[in-house]
Amino acid sequence: MGKQKSRLELLTEIKVLKEANEILKNQKELAVQNKEKNDLIYELVVVKREIAAIIDALALAEEELAFQRKKKDDLIEELIVVKKEKEKRANELVIAEELKQFIKTINTPIFGINTKGKVNEWNQTSEKITGFKKEEVLGKDLIETYITEDYREAVKRVLDNALKGRETANFEFPLFTKDNQKIILLLNSSTRRNGDGKITGVLGVGQDISQMNNYKTNLEDTVKKRTFELEISLEREKELRKLKTNFVVMASHEFRTPLAAIQAAADVILKYKIKLSQEDIEKRLFKIKREVNDMKIILEDILIFGKADSQKLQFVAIEQDLVVLVKNIVSNYQLTQVKKREVIYKISIDKIMLNADPKWIKHIIINLLSNALKYSEAPDSVIIEIRQEENEVILSVTDRGIGISEKDQESLFEPFHRGENVGNIQGTGLGLSVLQSAIDLHKGKIKVESKLNNGSTFIVSLPYEGTI
Ligand code: ADP
């Protein structure tokens, strides 16, 4: 048996045991604590990781947020663009509506066809001028249905060209209305395109020029008329030039003869005045007087002829007895004649009060009487007839002289015209044309009845009780 342990030892041992226990306990606790610590560390690592993940996530979220923000900004911008586009569209729609309304109501015929030539536009003016309503026209073939056969090809060419983008301006063609009236349209064709520029048809803008065409035709007629008038006046101008030449020839001839006679008579008187008897001198002086008188008549005709052309003749009518007036004129005229020829009067009543210009009546009588005497021979007499009818006074002069051919009668009153049968009988061809002017002034008429070699009657009719 071993030595029994002392109490102290025991106590010490217990103490050691206790301490060991304590250490063990502490160790256990430490182990627990360590574990806890480790657990905590692990947890910490996890948390850290989570935190890192969260930070990452946060960064991502932030990025996403920035992205979303940008997207939002982009969207807003897009929205603004869309809004503007919408506004633009709305504006365009308003304009399109206005244009539609404008096309519909404009005072010009507008019609449209599609690429197949079928009508797809027909405004109110088209309806008005053609009489065809939009509903009955839409979808119909424009050319086949509404264009006259003779113009179909030409109109088709214009529309086909427009469908190829070649537009035509001011193409004129006829169109028949519903009630078969013909109207003339002036067409301007425009190519119609959609938003992408693709050709979708043709728009025809017309103008009803029927009235203008009438005006044009009238104008053409007026131009034709004026041209005709101009040609006539040119012709007249030519005639006048011819007359002027005739006049110079006539004047030099007509004046040379009486002037030569006057000169010869005067020469004889001057040279032989002592030898000549009083009677011989008087005979020559009388000849001079007669020649001067004849020249005076010619000069008067020439003067009147010149004035008549420019319508400057003076006309002063007074009421007087035509019978007395004619008899006075005739007897005064006879005084100038060497061989007095008989004048027979046939007068229906003694007194005929007529409103006329005595100066012109004298001209008419002397002209007709001197011609009657000149173109007939002594001793044939001349007949002067005056008679009064219902509305006119007839004054005629008849001779039994050389007469006037039918051909000459046609141009008898034209200036310088002389009959083919005048032979050596002198004259200017002016007397009757001047006489015509005198009769015109009285609003009277003159005609001639004559046969070649069988005398002539010149018949003047002057309005009686009428307005002169
Ligand atoms: P003229 O000076 O030649 O007589 P007028 O104008 O008086 O001119 O007459 C024109 C023409 O008309 C004359 O040249 C003549 O041929 C014809 N004529 C006029 N009166 C008569 C008449 N009584 N008898 C025949 N011919 C006449």
Side-chain angles (χ1 to χ4, degrees), residues 174 379 401 467:
T467 47

Side-chain angles (χ1 to χ4, degrees), residues 11-181:
L11 280 170
T12 307
E13 215 171 278
I14 291 167
K15 196 184 167 191
V16 169
L17 276 171
K18 261 187 182 175
E19 275 175 3
N21 205 20
E22 193 70 23
I23 286 167
L24 213 69
K25 206 176 139 195
N26 278 347
Q27 264 178 345
K28 264 187 193 168
E29 208 163 301
L30 207 67
V32 169
Q33 273 179 6
N34 261 354
K35 192 176 174 298
E36 270 175 8
K37 188 184 147 202
N38 281 343
D39 283 352
L40 268 174
I41 286 169
Y42 179 72
E43 231 167 85
L44 217 66
V45 169
V46 170
V47 166
K48 214 176 147 190
R49 263 194 217 135
E50 271 173 11
I51 286 172
I54 286 170
I55 286 170
D56 278 352
L58 265 172
L60 266 177
E62 224 162 78
E63 239 172 62
E64 178 68 22
L65 207 69
F67 175 72
Q68 290 297 342
R69 219 176 270 146
K70 174 142 189 330
K71 211 169 152 193
K72 189 183 134 206
D73 285 350
D74 286 352
L75 267 173
I76 287 172
E77 231 167 72
E78 217 167 279
L79 220 69
I80 290 170
V81 171
V82 167
K83 207 176 147 200
K84 274 189 188 156
E85 192 68 24
K86 217 174 121 192
E87 276 170 9
K88 204 174 135 199
R89 283 242 159 252
N91 261 347
E92 280 172 359
L93 272 175
V94 170
I95 292 170
E97 188 52 42
E98 277 176 9
L99 274 176
K100 228 169 110 186
Q101 202 53 28
F102 176 72
I103 289 175
K104 195 172 157 193
T105 56
I106 187 174
N107 193 19
T108 295
I110 295 180
F111 56 86
I113 54 159
N114 61 17
T115 48
K116 294 196 169 66
K118 308 274 189 232
V119 179
N120 59 7
E121 190 80 64
W122 195 259
N123 76 345
Q124 286 175 357
T125 306
S126 299
E127 286 187 340
K128 207 166 99 188
I129 66 166
T130 63
F132 293 111
K133 287 273 162 218
K134 187 173 181 174
E135 305 83 64
E136 55 183 317
V137 177
L138 285 184
K140 296 249 173 76
D141 189 304
L142 179 81
I143 293 175
E144 288 302 317
T145 327
Y146 301 106
I147 308 296
T148 56
E149 210 178 321
D150 45 340
Y151 269 82
R152 270 182 207 155
E153 212 170 292
V155 177
K156 188 172 176 344
R157 216 174 305 131
V158 169
L159 297 179
D160 282 351
N161 274 340
L163 281 173
K164 286 175 198 152
R166 290 194 296 268
E167 299 177 340
T168 306
N170 299 333
F171 172 71
E172 198 179 312
F173 70 98
L175 197 97
F176 277 92
T177 63
K178 200 169 184 177
D179 53 3
N180 230 16
Q181 299 278 333

Side-chain angles (χ1 to χ4, degrees), residues 15 42 74 77 103 165 233 255 269 331 337 355 367 403 462:
K15 196 184 167 191
Y42 179 72
D74 286 352
E77 231 167 72
I103 289 175
S233 59
F255 288 128
I269 296 171
S331 52
Q337 301 296 297
N355 206 23
N367 234 298
L462 300 173

Side-chain angles (χ1 to χ4, degrees), residues 232-246 305 414-416:
I232 288 182
S233 59
L234 266 176
E235 204 48 47
R236 197 163 156 63
E237 172 75 26
K238 259 194 222 162
E239 227 170 73
L240 276 174
R241 234 175 289 144
K242 199 173 133 207
L243 286 184
K244 207 174 138 195
T245 320
N246 283 349
F305 173 69
E414 284 172 16
F416 303 107

Side-chain angles (χ1 to χ4, degrees), residues 250 254 298 301 367-376 397-405 408 411-423 425-435 448 450-452 455-458:
M250 176 278 298
E254 284 305 306
I298 296 174
D301 277 354
N367 234 298
L368 291 179
L369 179 62
S370 64
N371 276 353
L373 296 169
K374 192 164 72 171
Y375 296 109
S376 67
V397 179
T398 306
D399 64 71
R400 298 195 190 92
I402 61 169
I404 306 158
S405 72
D408 279 330
S411 359
L412 213 59
F413 295 89
E414 284 172 16
F416 303 107
H417 183 89
R418 302 207 68 211
E420 277 173 350
N421 58 336
V422 292
I425 306 170
Q426 289 201 335
T428 59
L430 276 183
L432 287 183
S433 84
V434 169
L435 192 128
V448 61
S450 179
K451 266 195 181 148
L452 214 50
S456 315
T457 300
F458 284 84

